[in-house]
Amino acid sequence: MENQRQLQQRIRQDAAERNDALQGLSTWSTLKNAKPTQTEKPTQRSQLSAVPSAAEGTYEEIRTRGNEYFAKKQFVEAVECYTHCLESKESLKTPVIFSNRALTHLNLKNYGRAEEDAAAALRICPTHSKSYHRRSVARFSLGKLRGALLDVYAAEASCDTDALRKDIEIQRCKCEKALVDAATRAPRRNVMITVV
């Protein structure tokens, strides 16, 4: 009897995880072809081309310029620089550029794009705790609470700095509270389960 309950619980959990993965894939394919929504700031190339120096220089110079723009809170220009950095093969050796661009998209409230960039950074380095944290923030903002919580747990497991650990703990508390709130607001249904 107990084994059946555990099996049913595992099946439900697997189904929920697959559903989250399918929703993530659906969101990705929608965002890939979508135009910016009302909540997104424009980051199309035609609007970014107003920054003529973004593409000039070496990979390291462009990355540094992007970091400088980010520090000045000029996020659109920072995205342009990080995007130009991705044209270099050097950028694919480390998750930093995708992760930095994800953080920049978070500041622009482009949560879908932030999620995509953080996921790209994690494909390069599956233990990059900053990328897990940034993807968690993006997913939380998109209402993907379970995925956000899973990312927070992964970030905690791979975190190596105290400053980031504090931010991750704050994010974990937000995710857990939001999930509890969502569960308490959810409509209750009685479901009859028949053991075969």
Side-chain angles (χ1 to χ4, degrees):
M1 186 74 161
E2 188 65 31
N3 287 339
Q4 289 177 341
R5 287 185 186 165
Q6 289 175 345
L7 181 61
Q8 289 173 343
Q9 185 177 11
R10 194 172 343 138
I11 289 170
R12 286 187 192 112
Q13 185 177 5
D14 289 347
E17 288 174 3
R18 283 191 185 106
N19 189 30
D20 283 345
L22 287 173
Q23 285 178 336
L25 183 61
S26 173
T27 301
W28 174 80
S29 64
T30 302
L31 289 173
K32 184 178 176 188
N33 300 320
K35 295 178 181 171
T37 63
Q38 293 175 351
T39 60
E40 291 183 334
K41 304 283 189 284
T43 56
Q44 298 294 325
R45 277 208 182 269
S46 61
Q47 294 160 330
L48 294 173
S49 60
V51 184
S53 63
E56 296 173 4
T58 65
Y59 163 81
E60 196 60 38
E61 291 170 343
I62 297 170
R63 184 187 66 78
T64 302
R65 196 174 312 117
N67 292 344
E68 290 169 357
Y69 281 133
F70 183 87
K72 295 177 190 174
K73 299 190 184 307
Q74 296 175 339
F75 301 124
V76 174
E77 291 83 357
V79 166
E80 175 73 2
C81 287
Y82 295 141
T83 301
H84 281 291
C85 281
L86 293 174
E87 295 171 1
S88 168
K89 290 181 183 178
E90 198 173 334
S91 67
L92 301 177
K93 296 176 184 174
T94 175
V96 173
I97 297 300
F98 279 113
S99 189
N100 285 356
R101 196 169 73 167
L103 181 60
T104 307
H105 280 304
L106 285 175
N107 282 289
L108 289 170
K109 297 185 179 10
N110 295 338
Y111 301 119
R113 291 190 177 129
E115 181 184 21
E116 288 176 20
D117 281 345
L122 290 168
R123 282 191 292 277
I124 295 170
C125 179
T127 59
H128 194 247
S129 55
K130 285 183 179 181
S131 295
Y132 275 116
H133 179 256
R134 291 167 186 174
R135 188 169 73 174
S136 175
V137 172
R139 285 180 167 179
F140 181 85
S141 299
L142 291 168
K144 300 177 180 181
L145 301 179
R146 278 187 248 155
L149 189 60
L150 289 173
D151 284 341
V152 166
Y153 290 150
E156 281 180 326
S158 62
C159 183
D160 56 358
T161 62
D162 290 335
L164 182 59
R165 187 166 282 128
K166 186 176 181 180
D167 290 342
I168 291 170
E169 185 177 330
I170 291 168
Q171 180 67 15
R172 181 180 47 80
C173 291
K174 283 173 57 176
C175 289
E176 288 173 348
K177 183 181 181 320
L179 274 171
V180 168
D181 291 346
T184 56
R185 287 191 319 264
R188 303 281 182 217
R189 294 185 182 150
N190 292 330
V191 177
M192 187 69 107
I193 299 175
T194 306
V195 178
V196 181

